[in-house]
Amino acid sequence: MLSKEILYHSFFKNTYSPQDRSAISWIVIVTAIILNLTCYFASAGSFRLVFPITSLIVGIFLYIRHPIHYIGFTWIIWFITPLLARLVDYKVGWDPSRQMLIAPYLVVFITIVTFLKYLPSTSHQEGLPFLLGSIGVFYGFLVGAIYNQPLPVIRSFLDWLSPIIFGFHLFSNWRDYPSYRKNIQRIFVWSVLFLGAYGIYQYVVAPEWDKYWLIQSKMFTSAGNPVPFGLRIWSTLHSVGPFGTVMQAGLLLLFTSSSPLIVPASAVGYLSFLLSQVRTSWGGWLLGIIIIFSSVKPQLQMRLITIILVMTMCVVPLVNIEPMSTVITSRLESFSNLEKDSSFKDRSASYDRNLNLALSNVLGNGFGNIWKVNEKTGQIEVIVIDSGILDMFFTLGWFGAIPYITALIIMIISVIKYTEGRIDSFISAARAISIATFSQLIIYSGMLSISGMIMWGFFAMAMAGHKYYQYNQDHH
């Protein structure tokens, strides 16, 4: 009887040492991995259901018992789930519902507990952007629930709200900022190494499961041809754009790390980043470098220059290997001739067609659909808007877009004012990543899904770091 009471007290009262909690967390994670592997090889069809459920269970356990591991687990689930879904599709057949992709959202939505518990007490202070952003999202949800089908509405709701509540969770744990900073640095260094290495493998070999996904999804325009040396790299992620955003963030974070993995991670990371041919993310990376360089002390500037030189020495020889050299060079040359670039012309035409329509849409269409009127037939049609700004106004209308955009502007103004970046390069990098991702909203909907996780998450980390240093300064 006594032993049962001790066991109960240990689990629910958190009396284990940090080392014990870490060990138990790893036991739970490894057990889940073994269970999922067994399920995949024994019955791949059921893996589509088992994987999201086990991810949610492990996420809940880590959220309660080891919050630091929960953060790393969340990022990893986002990074690997699309690849796992492709492996299952290749083994048992195409799943148009893409049900496995719900796993990252389930893991993130655990932080709704943090959001509901702490937002009321912080909404009048630094938490205001998260409140405003969520108001815009809930408005879009209500309008969508009235006019659109339930499943698309729920999917859009997850895309929009997940980054906000995860970002708030990071910010609300500002007292543990050093631990969170260390965990995120470690996770992204390993992720750049793994995603970059797999991306190069994907480009050279064109694995059957990736070719199968490309053929079934018919995303040839954005992802290339399903042949070796014909793909645009998206690595383990769902498509080229999210891969570019993740690698942009990871490569900027490498400047803040002292890990021995920096050199190999940089080599495969930059090569795959270039082979992805995502010019928007290339520009975002350059903007991020400028922001970091302009905000750190001279000693850190010299370290930054040294790292860039070392990375350049690692990457340039690889880039000069054919056929990679031709692909990368031609893409770089397109910057000097944008007026003739088909992608640039398509986006310009999209703005010409839809800007006035979006801005005149006061109430918005809500989550689940974006609409336009066909000028020839007069029929209302569903369209996909390749712009975050247009997407906001089409979806949220003025009533939802104004609080949402206001939230982003408040965060930008706040993080620009921070001076802690001069002594903490992570804060400088987090600010650079979030602002660079925000700047790309004019090109694509970077406030959603994994891209939104990057933008809101690193805004939150910069804000958490600022509050951490401010608190320590005021109390010492």
Side-chain angles (χ1 to χ4, degrees), residues 386-463:
D386 202 10
S387 161
I389 303 299
L390 295 181
D391 198 352
M392 286 182 201
F393 283 97
F394 266 116
T395 304
L396 306 179
W398 282 89
F399 291 106
I402 287 177
Y404 191 92
I405 294 173
T406 301
L408 296 176
I409 292 174
I410 289 174
M411 289 192 293
I412 290 173
I413 293 174
S414 297
V415 300
I416 286 175
K417 293 179 180 179
Y418 296 162
T419 58
E420 290 83 4
R422 294 184 62 80
I423 58 172
D424 186 338
S425 60
F426 181 87
I427 291 180
S428 182
R431 170 171 52 199
I433 291 166
S434 52
I435 293 177
T437 308
F438 170 82
S439 70
Q440 296 164 42
L441 292 182
I442 196 170
I443 302 296
Y444 80 114
S445 297
M447 66 285 183
L448 307 179
S449 190
I450 181 63
S451 299
M453 292 281 290
I454 296 289
M455 182 176 73
W456 281 89
F458 282 97
F459 267 131
M461 283 303 295
M463 295 164 66

Side-chain angles (χ1 to χ4, degrees), residues 249-420:
L251 292 170
L252 289 173
L253 273 185
L254 288 184
F255 293 119
T256 73
S257 174
S258 57
S259 169
L261 296 173
I262 286 180
V263 173
S266 298
V268 296
Y270 278 103
L271 182 57
S272 63
F273 188 51
L274 290 170
L275 288 171
S276 70
Q277 303 175 53
V278 186
R279 291 175 302 186
T280 306
S281 296
W282 294 354
W285 175 86
L286 182 60
L287 175 61
I289 288 291
I290 294 171
I291 293 173
I292 294 174
F293 193 81
S294 63
S295 62
V296 297
K297 287 183 175 181
Q299 297 94 316
L300 290 176
Q301 287 179 343
M302 290 303 300
R303 180 174 180 269
L304 189 65
I305 293 172
T306 303
I307 293 173
I308 291 175
L309 289 174
V310 172
M311 291 177 177
T312 302
M313 292 171 62
C314 293
V315 175
V316 168
L318 298 173
V319 169
N320 286 325
I321 300 173
E322 290 292 351
M324 293 180 282
S325 176
T326 302
V327 172
I328 295 170
T329 302
S330 61
R331 195 64 171 170
L332 287 169
E333 289 174 347
S334 66
F335 279 109
S336 62
N337 201 16
L338 286 176
E339 65 277 3
K340 293 184 179 180
D341 182 75
S342 59
S343 177
F344 179 79
K345 288 192 291 186
D346 288 344
R347 285 195 169 93
S348 298
S350 175
Y351 265 93
D352 292 339
R353 289 193 308 269
N354 298 308
L355 182 59
N356 289 333
L357 185 61
L359 295 178
S360 63
N361 194 356
V362 177
L363 296 178
N365 300 308
F367 294 155
N369 265 322
I370 300 172
W371 307 91
K372 74 170 183 179
V373 178
N374 189 306
E375 297 177 356
K376 294 182 179 179
T377 64
Q379 298 293 316
I380 297 177
E381 299 177 347
V382 181
I383 59 172
V384 176
I385 298 297
D386 202 10
S387 161
I389 303 299
L390 295 181
D391 198 352
M392 286 182 201
F393 283 97
F394 266 116
T395 304
L396 306 179
W398 282 89
F399 291 106
I402 287 177
Y404 191 92
I405 294 173
T406 301
L408 296 176
I409 292 174
I410 289 174
M411 289 192 293
I412 290 173
I413 293 174
S414 297
V415 300
I416 286 175
K417 293 179 180 179
Y418 296 162
T419 58
E420 290 83 4

